[in-house]
Amino acid sequence: MGLETVIKDIMGAAQTEANMVNADADAEVSQILDDVRQTAKKIMGDRLAKAEDDIKRLRQQEISSANLEVKRTMLNARKEVLDKVYDNAIETIASLPETKQEELLKAIIDENDSNGSKIYSNKDSEELVKKLSSLEYTGNIDCIGGLIIENDNGTVRLDYTYDIIMKNVNEQSLKQTSDILFG
C-alpha cells in the first residue's frame, strides 16, 4: 500500500506540474497571438496609411499633369491665334493699294536716301522705287514689300522690308498683342 500511495503522489504531482506547464504554455501562446495580432494591426495600419498617401500623391500628380496639359493646350491655341493675326497683318500689308505703297516707300526713301548708294526692292515695287529714289537700283529681293538701302561697299545695309519691320514689331509687341486678344 505504501508504494501505491507514493505512485499516486508522484502521479498527482506530475499531473499538477503538467497542468501548470500547459497553463503557462497556453498563457505564452495567448501572449504570442496577442503580439502577432498587434503587429499585424500595426503593419496593416502602416500599409493603409502608406496606400492613402500614395493615392493622394498620385492624385496630385495627375491633377498637376492635367493642369499642365490644359495650359499647354491653351498656349498652343493662343499661339495659333497670334500666328493667324500675324499672317493676316502680312496679307493686309501685301495687299495695300498702290497709293499707300507709294506713301510708305516715299517716307522710307526720304528718310534714308542719304544713307546709301544702292537700293533694292521686290519686283512689284521696282518701277515705283526707281521713280522715287535717286539711288542706283541694283536688283530685286524676295519680300512682300519695302526696300533695302546699301552703301557702296555693302558694309552698311538698312533693311526696311515689310517682312523685317513686321517681324520686329511682332517681337516687340507680342505680349501687348496677347494681352489685347486674351486679356
Side-chain angles (χ1 to χ4, degrees):
M1 199 157 101
L3 192 54
E4 279 181 33
T5 305
V6 170
I7 290 177
K8 264 190 191 175
D9 286 344
I10 292 174
M11 289 295 280
Q15 186 64 39
T16 302
E17 195 165 324
N19 288 341
M20 282 178 34
V21 167
N22 281 340
D24 286 347
D26 287 345
E28 194 172 328
V29 165
S30 181
Q31 182 60 42
I32 290 171
L33 286 175
D34 284 345
D35 289 347
V36 166
R37 283 187 192 109
Q38 292 300 322
T39 302
K41 278 184 185 178
K42 184 180 181 309
I43 290 171
M44 192 74 130
D46 290 349
R47 287 192 179 165
L48 184 60
K50 185 180 181 318
E52 287 174 355
D53 288 345
D54 288 347
I55 289 169
K56 284 179 186 175
R57 184 177 43 79
L58 287 171
R59 183 177 294 133
Q60 188 58 42
Q61 284 177 346
E62 289 297 320
I63 289 170
S64 295
S65 178
N67 285 337
L68 187 62
E69 186 61 33
V70 166
K71 285 180 183 177
R72 185 177 300 123
T73 302
M74 283 178 52
L75 287 174
N76 287 339
R78 285 181 177 185
K79 184 179 181 326
E80 282 181 35
V81 169
L82 288 170
D83 288 347
K84 284 181 182 177
V85 167
Y86 180 81
D87 292 342
N88 287 342
I90 292 288
E91 287 175 20
T92 301
I93 288 172
S95 63
L96 283 174
E98 194 170 316
T99 55
K100 289 290 182 188
Q101 288 279 356
E102 185 173 346
E103 285 178 35
L104 287 171
L105 291 173
K106 184 171 179 8
I108 293 171
I109 290 169
D110 287 349
E111 182 141 336
N112 297 288
D113 218 22
S114 62
N115 294 328
S117 62
K118 301 176 189 175
I119 195 164
Y120 304 84
S121 73
N122 66 8
K123 181 79 173 143
D124 296 339
S125 302
E126 180 178 347
E127 292 306 316
L128 184 57
V129 169
K130 284 179 179 179
K131 179 179 109 178
L132 295 173
S133 176
S134 61
L135 300 179
E136 174 191 351
Y137 191 88
T138 51
N140 296 323
I141 52 173
D142 184 25
C143 65
I144 60 170
L147 49 89
I148 293 177
I149 297 175
E150 193 174 74
N151 68 355
D152 278 336
N153 58 10
T155 57
V156 176
R157 187 176 181 128
L158 304 174
D159 191 337
Y160 291 103
T161 58
Y162 301 157
D163 307 69
I164 293 297
I165 293 170
M166 277 300 296
K167 181 181 173 205
N168 291 338
V169 167
N170 185 51
E171 288 173 1
Q172 292 170 0
S173 62
L174 188 60
K175 178 164 178 16
Q176 183 181 4
T177 304
S178 178
D179 290 346
I180 290 168
L181 291 174
F182 307 114

